[in-house]
């Protein structure tokens, strides 16, 4: 549901920049001989030459449209050049287009706050840049105005027959009598023209733009004059623009709300909305939506440009139309594995390059039932906390699918069908990762430590880079707590309850070519605070991938370390199911770099005992300190709150730590609460840990346990 936001300021300068026939331009840059020729990008399949997904403006002149298939395009334009979308894992590979989009974003973001809205669209808040220009070099005093700016379309500007349009634009920009808002827009015209030219120069891509006082109007304007042009909406022209605009063309009115406005209220254009008082619209559609409708009819929109250069989510999807529909569980699993592999790769590179981690995995599908009166029933979207590592994502996505399928066709149907067709088909499938947050700052000490290890095995594995090191530090569920300890500014919001939720997002448009990024932001699923095992194993998964990539650069010794490490990991993985210990990684690669006396002491203690900490059934509800009396006996016990899954009957799985698994060298790196806990354990009589240990700040969150066999 749209939400009304008060106009933050009516003197903002907002631009919406949209690339022209984007995929075609990317392909033409790769094959310059195609420039200027009618060209289309197709998603190939045998049926009639595949579907067109991007069409050049030269081809559009012949009547070629995106809705056509290759063969139809050839009919209307025999000379059309059809370029296939690159394919990987049996599906469209959009990576080239994504990174081309990033090139553009990096240029556009130079002059103001920049929000990447999709693979080829960006919003810019240029208010500050415009105000500065107005103060220092106002357009009214400019003698020379750039040609590109003079080609702008200014809505409402009276271009009478025979008048020199560029001259009219020049006069509008130079007007001394203009009010402040128009003067700011005049600055916006100059800034955007300059940015667009810069994009062309650096990337060879053309783009179009809309310039207005808010996002809604800028977006409407950017598509009005394409390709390679810009359109401006002065406030005096807002009514003229909206009056005749079909209601369904407005963002968020293309669906059910738009249909209801047309059928129930007789509203066909945005201007038609003006006749309704706000209360009437609120009565019919609720307070928020009612106000939002009242506002948009007047061109009011307070939505801020978010300042986000990276996507909000990652997705990978594929459609299986007609006879390609997937009709057995193994077939679905096969494709899910491909999609998850791609998703996992992208998550790893996001972690690597941008230091961000995603927290929610969502599965969307479209399905049909061949013999069912309830054929309108939708396949439910499902979400769960995201665990890093391809195999884990695959496993979780498959579980989500099965949960969805059970709901869609009923438990009995799923159980009995096995590999055989059982009257359902999946026509599209996608997995997405959302709730992406930056790794909090202030958590890089272990990363620094990796860098400092000039003689260790780790140092020669530096290409794995410090991101992985940093991420490791975040891995425990206590990451929340850790960020508080080390960085008061870091804000990571982890909702509290784990749940397999019904995703509240309307089903995605599963055109696999489209970037799924912007549509997933509203997922409202819960988390458990117990996310550490996933993060830990995820980082290790990324680590492993990086290692694979670096294979040829690794010396013999490193190779040996790597294979031993991997062997050890593999052995554990089977048992631990994603909870391998960070300790193995630290152990033996850093003999006490911090020289802490406590670390040394702990080491001594560790050497002199083979005490084990058992976290589990027996010890539920007891802290390490409380258990310290029992510490003389082995094993020792401690609370596992927040760790491990409740078995439903209130019991938890039992976990145990071996004291010698805790590398003393990392103790000083831990939050004080954890240090206290360990000290209490080593010196039960001297140390009383703080009873108000924050949730997520238990040792169990820092030292991933070995599951008791
Ligand atoms: P659009 O911006 O919608 O279109 P476009 O850039 O091709 O053309 P225009 O100049 O009219 O804006 O989409 C951007 C890219 O996204 C497009 O080049 C291909 C891809 N895309 C799909 O793969 N499938 C789709 O259904 C749409 C709409 C776009």
């Amino acid at each position: 549901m749209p939400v009304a936001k008060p106009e933050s300021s009516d003197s903002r300068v907002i631009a919406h920049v949209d690339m022209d026939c984007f995929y075609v331009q990317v392909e033409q840059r790769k094959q310059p001989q195609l420039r200027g020729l009618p060209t289309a990008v197709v998603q190939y399949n045998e049926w009639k030459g595949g579907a067109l997904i991007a069409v050049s403006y030269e081809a559009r002149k012949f009547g070629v449209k995106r809705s056509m298939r290759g063969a139809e395009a050839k009919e209307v334009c025999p000379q059309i050049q059809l370029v296939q979308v690159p394919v990987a894992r049996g599906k469209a590979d959009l990576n080239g287009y994504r990174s081309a989009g990033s090139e553009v974003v990096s240029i556009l973001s130079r002059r103001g706050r920049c929000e990447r809205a999709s693979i080829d669209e960006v919003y810019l808040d240029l208010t500050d840049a415009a105000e500065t220009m107005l103060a220092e070099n106002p357009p009214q005093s400019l003698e020379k105005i750039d040609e590109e700016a003079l080609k702008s379309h200014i809505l409402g500007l009276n271009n009478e027959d025979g008048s020199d349009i560029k001259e009219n634009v020049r006069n509008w920009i130079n007007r001394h009598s203009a009010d402040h808002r128009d003067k700011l827009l005049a600055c916006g015209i100059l800034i955007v023209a300059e940015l667009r030219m810069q994009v062309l120069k650096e990337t060879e891509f053309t783009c179009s733009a809309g310039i207005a006082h808010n996002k809604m109007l800028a977006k409407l304007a950017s598509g009005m004059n394409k390709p390679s042009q810009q359109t401006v909406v002065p406030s005096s022209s807002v009514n003229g623009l909206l009056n005749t605009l079909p209601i369904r063309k407005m963002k968020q009115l293309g669906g059910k709300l738009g249909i209801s406005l047309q059928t129930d209220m007789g509203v066909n254009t945005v201007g038609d909305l003006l006749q309704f008082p706000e209360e009437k619209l609120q009565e019919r559609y609720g307070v928020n939506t009612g106000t939002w409708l009242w506002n948009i009819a007047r061109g009011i929109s307070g939505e801020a440009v978010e300042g986000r250069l990276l996507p909000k989510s990652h997705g990978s999807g594929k459609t299986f139309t007609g006879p390609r529909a997937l009709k057995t569980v193994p077939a679905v699993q096969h494709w899910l594995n491909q999609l998850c592999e791609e998703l996992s790769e992208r998550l790893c590179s996001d972690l690597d390059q941008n230091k961000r981690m995603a927290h929610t995995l969502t599965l969307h599908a479209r399905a049909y039932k061949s013999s069912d009166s309830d054929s309108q029933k939708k396949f439910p979207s499902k979400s769960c906390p995201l665990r890093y590592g391809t195999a884990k994502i695959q496993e979780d996505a498959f579980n989500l699918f099965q949960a969805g399928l059970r709901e869609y066709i009923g438990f009995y149907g799923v159980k009995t069908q096995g590999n055989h067709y059982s009257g359902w088909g999946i026509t599209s499938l996608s997995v997405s990762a959302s709730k992406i947050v930056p790794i909090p700052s202030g958590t890089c000490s272990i990363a620094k430590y990796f860098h400092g290890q000039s003689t260790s095995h780790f140092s020669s594995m530096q290409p794995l880079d410090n991101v992985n090191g940093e991420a490791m530090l975040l891995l425990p569920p206590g990451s929340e707590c850790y960020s508080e300890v080390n960085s008061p500014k870091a804000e990571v919001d982890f909702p509290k309850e784990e749940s397999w939720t019904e995703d509240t997002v309307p089903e995605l448009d599963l055109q696999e070519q489209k970037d799924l990024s912007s549509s997933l932001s509203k997922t409202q699923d819960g988390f458990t605070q117990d996310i550490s095992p996933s993060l830990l194993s995820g980082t290790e998964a990324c680590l492993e991938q990086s290692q694979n990539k670096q294979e040829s650069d690794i010396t013999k010794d490193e190779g040996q370390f790597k294979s031993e490490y991997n062997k050890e990991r593999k052995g554990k993985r089977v048992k631990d199911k994603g909870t391998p210990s960070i300790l193995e990684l630290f152990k033996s690669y850093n003999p006490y770099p911090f020289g802490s006396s406590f670390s040394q002491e702990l080491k001594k203690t560790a050497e002199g005992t083979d005490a084990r900490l058992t976290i589990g059934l027996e010890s539920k509800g007891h802290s390490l300190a409380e258990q310290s009396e029992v510490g003389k006996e082995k094993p020792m016990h401690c609370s596992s709150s927040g760790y491990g899954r409740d078995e439903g009957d209130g019991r938890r799985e039992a976990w145990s730590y071996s004291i010698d698994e805790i590398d003393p060298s990392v103790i000083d790196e831990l939050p004080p609460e954890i240090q206290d806990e360990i000290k209490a354990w080593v010196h039960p009589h001297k140390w009383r840990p703080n009873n108000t240990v924050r949730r997520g700040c238990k040792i169990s969150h820092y030292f991933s346990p070995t599951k008791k066999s």
Side-chain angles (χ1 to χ4, degrees):
M1 275 287 160
V3 174
K5 293 193 181 139
E7 185 112 45
S8 44
S9 155
D10 60 358
S11 300
R12 290 183 299 160
V13 180
I14 308 294
H16 177 257
V17 181
D18 186 22
M19 305 310 291
D20 303 316
C21 55
F22 188 47
Y23 288 11
V24 171
Q25 287 204 77
V26 174
E27 296 303 333
Q28 287 177 332
R29 187 172 70 169
K30 276 199 262 174
Q31 303 180 57
Q33 72 277 14
L34 296 178
R35 281 191 196 287
L37 301 179
T39 308
V41 174
V42 288
Q43 172 126 30
Y44 187 76
N45 67 36
E46 307 88 57
W47 191 59
K48 292 191 179 174
L52 268 56
I53 57 174
V55 180
S56 76
Y57 282 84
E58 293 84 357
R60 292 183 201 195
K61 285 185 195 148
F62 289 88
V64 178
K65 295 200 168 71
R66 193 177 356 229
S67 54
M68 291 177 171
R69 304 199 68 88
E72 293 169 82
K74 283 260 180 210
E75 272 170 34
V76 295
C77 177
Q79 68 274 41
I80 195 166
Q81 308 288 317
L82 298 177
V83 185
Q84 245 190 73
V85 175
V87 173
R89 298 187 187 90
K91 62 179 286 297
D93 176 9
L94 307 183
N95 281 329
Y97 306 125
R98 278 190 202 103
S99 50
S102 303
E103 288 176 48
V104 175
V105 169
S106 73
I107 298 163
L108 293 176
S109 59
R110 289 174 192 163
R111 297 297 294 275
R113 194 159 62 244
C114 174
E115 175 182 328
R116 189 171 186 177
S118 80
I119 200 162
D120 77 331
E121 278 172 282
V122 157
Y123 287 100
L124 301 173
D125 188 333
L126 300 170
T127 312
D128 289 346
E131 290 280 10
T132 308
M133 183 185 272
L134 201 53
E136 293 172 0
N137 198 13
Q140 298 77 47
S141 56
L142 288 181
E143 276 172 23
K144 189 168 170 0
I145 294 178
D146 189 83
E147 265 305 288
E148 195 56 37
L150 292 179
K151 287 196 294 186
S152 302
H153 300 262
I154 301 175
L155 296 187
L157 190 62
N158 201 0
N159 289 323
E160 287 153 12
D161 280 352
S163 67
D164 182 338
I165 298 176
K166 282 188 187 168
E167 206 44 43
N168 291 346
V169 172
R170 183 193 307 279
N171 291 337
W172 195 89
I173 292 173
N174 282 150
R175 266 182 325 156
H176 281 279
S177 59
D179 64 14
H180 184 67
R181 302 181 79 199
D182 277 359
K183 282 181 181 164
L184 281 178
L185 281 188
C187 297
I189 292 175
L190 300 173
I191 297 167
V192 173
E194 202 182 304
L195 281 171
R196 290 181 37 245
M197 287 306 97
Q198 204 55 37
V199 168
L200 182 61
K201 192 171 152 205
E202 292 183 36
T203 67
E204 302 174 27
F205 299 143
T206 66
C207 56
S208 300
I211 303 154
H213 293 300
N214 63 46
K215 281 169 90 172
M216 176 185 85
L217 296 170
K219 163 97 180 168
L220 281 174
S222 67
M224 293 178 80
N225 294 287
K226 273 191 149 239
S228 197
Q229 295 171 76
Q230 56 185 49
T231 306
V232 189
V233 191
S235 13
S236 54
S237 308
V238 171
N239 284 349
L241 168 66
L242 297 178
N243 270 347
T244 52
L245 188 75
I247 196 88
R248 305 287 298 283
K249 293 246 180 218
M250 286 299 279
K251 200 178 154 199
Q252 296 188 298
L253 292 180
K256 284 180 192 161
L257 183 55
I259 294 173
S260 163
L261 283 165
Q262 280 182 306
T263 51
D264 305 337
M265 313 284 280
V267 170
N268 290 311
T269 67
V270 178
D272 290 345
L273 275 173
L274 286 170
Q275 61 188 292
F276 297 102
E278 190 175 359
E279 297 72 34
K280 174 91 182 155
L281 294 168
Q282 288 179 332
E283 237 168 64
R284 182 71 184 75
Y285 294 107
V287 175
N288 259 322
T289 306
T291 301
W292 179 79
L293 288 168
W294 192 88
N295 282 345
I296 61 154
R298 287 152 186 83
I300 299 170
S301 162
E303 211 187 323
V305 173
E306 270 177 34
R308 173 169 43 77
L309 306 186
L310 299 167
K312 269 186 183 169
S313 60
H314 297 293
S316 175
K318 184 167 173 68
T319 50
F320 308 93
T321 45
R324 287 190 182 75
L326 307 176
K327 294 173 184 161
T328 65
V329 170
V332 171
Q333 190 169 20
H334 165 80
W335 280 108
L336 265 184
N337 285 347
Q338 309 298 313
L339 301 178
C340 291
E341 210 175 290
E342 189 199 337
L343 183 65
S344 181
E345 244 174 43
R346 286 172 59 198
L347 287 169
C348 282
S349 71
D350 201 352
L351 174 60
D352 229 31
Q353 290 163 16
N354 310 315
K355 306 182 184 183
R356 305 194 309 160
M357 296 189 93
H359 293 278
T360 300
L361 176 70
T362 302
L363 175 122
H364 298 273
R366 279 192 186 140
Y368 66 80
K369 281 183 264 188
S370 48
S371 55
D372 194 351
S373 53
D374 190 15
S375 59
Q376 293 304 308
K377 190 172 168 183
K378 281 189 171 171
F379 193 99
S381 296
K382 295 277 173 193
S383 296
C384 71
L386 191 146
R387 302 190 298 153
Y388 272 66
T390 306
K392 291 180 186 72
I393 295 175
Q394 288 170 334
E395 182 187 332
D396 291 345
F398 184 57
N399 285 337
L400 292 176
F401 172 76
Q402 287 188 306
L405 188 63
R406 269 195 293 277
E407 214 170 296
Y408 185 66
I409 62 171
F411 181 72
Y412 183 75
V414 177
K415 260 216 121 158
T416 52
Q417 62 161 333
N419 292 353
H420 306 293
Y421 176 53
S422 168
W424 53 265
I426 298 293
T427 56
S428 74
L429 208 50
S430 83
V431 283
S432 60
S434 57
K435 293 232 161 87
I436 304 182
V437 293
I439 294 174
S441 57
T443 51
C444 59
S445 51
I446 285 187
K448 279 189 209 136
Y449 151 58
F450 284 153
H451 277 288
Q453 296 301 295
S454 55
T455 54
S456 75
H457 293 283
F458 262 119
S459 71
S460 40
M461 290 178 68
Q462 290 280 309
L464 301 181
D465 86 41
N466 65 343
V467 173
N468 293 321
E470 284 183 43
M472 275 177 198
L473 210 53
L474 289 168
L475 309 177
S479 54
E480 176 188 21
C481 150
Y482 204 97
S483 67
E484 281 169 27
V485 170
N486 281 344
S487 169
K489 280 188 208 130
E491 277 177 27
V492 184
D493 183 22
F494 295 119
K496 307 294 181 280
E497 282 173 17
E498 177 174 38
S499 54
W500 291 69
T501 57
E502 183 80 38
D503 196 304
T504 54
V505 179
E507 232 177 304
L508 282 180
D509 177 4
L510 281 170
Q511 295 184 57
E512 60 199 289
Q513 315 84 1
K514 261 292 196 194
D515 190 14
L516 303 174
S517 65
S518 52
S519 40
L520 292 164
S521 54
K522 292 171 239 149
T523 317
Q524 291 173 1
D525 37 351
F527 285 106
T528 170
Q529 60 166 328
D530 176 15
I531 55 169
S532 67
S534 55
L535 298 185
L536 173 57
S537 51
T539 306
E540 287 182 345
C542 295
L543 232 156
E544 282 173 18
Q545 275 191 12
S546 309
Q547 284 174 356
N548 292 340
K549 278 188 211 137
Q550 306 290 341
E551 200 89 63
S552 54
D553 298 325
I554 295 176
T555 64
K556 210 174 167 194
D557 275 353
E558 291 152 8
Q560 197 180 342
F561 157 72
K562 197 165 81 78
S563 82
E564 277 165 17
Y565 170 67
N566 285 340
K567 224 189 288 166
E568 201 178 350
R569 298 252 36 77
K570 268 182 203 144
K572 282 218 181 291
R573 196 166 290 141
V574 180
K575 261 203 296 177
D576 288 355
K577 251 197 149 190
T579 57
S581 169
I582 192 172
L583 301 167
E584 292 148 21
L585 222 47
F586 295 147
K587 218 166 64 169
S588 66
Y589 297 108
N590 177 30
Y592 331 120
F594 305 102
S596 147
S597 59
F598 175 64
S599 305
Q600 308 265 2
E601 215 171 329
L602 177 63
K603 180 171 183 284
K604 270 189 243 146
T605 314
E607 281 165 358
T609 176
D610 91 288
R612 295 186 73 78
L613 283 153
T614 300
I615 296 178
L617 296 176
E618 319 89 331
S619 60
K620 201 177 176 199
H622 298 278
S623 78
L624 250 174
E626 286 169 316
Q627 295 296 334
S628 57
E629 279 308 301
V630 206
K632 294 160 208 151
E633 301 159 20
K634 301 143 196 174
M636 292 174 77
H637 305 292
C638 77
S639 161
S640 68
S641 63
Y643 199 86
R645 280 182 196 200
D646 215 306
E647 294 297 297
D649 56 358
R651 293 183 314 149
R652 284 172 185 272
E653 290 175 273
W655 302 85
S656 69
Y657 296 113
S658 168
I659 185 168
D660 62 14
E661 275 181 5
I662 297 181
D663 179 354
S665 62
V666 300
I667 303 302
D668 299 332
E669 289 278 68
L670 299 170
E673 291 92 333
I674 307 296
Q675 291 195 23
D676 276 0
E677 208 171 345
I678 296 170
K679 285 168 186 170
W681 174 34
V682 177
H683 295 299
H685 302 294
K686 270 204 244 165
W687 291 91
R688 291 244 156 262
N690 183 356
N691 283 336
T692 57
V693 169
R694 272 169 293 174
R695 184 180 54 73
C697 290
K698 307 288 295 178
I699 183 175
S700 53
H701 299 145
Y702 279 82
F703 296 104
S704 174
T706 309
K707 196 174 176 182
K708 242 185 181 176
S709 51

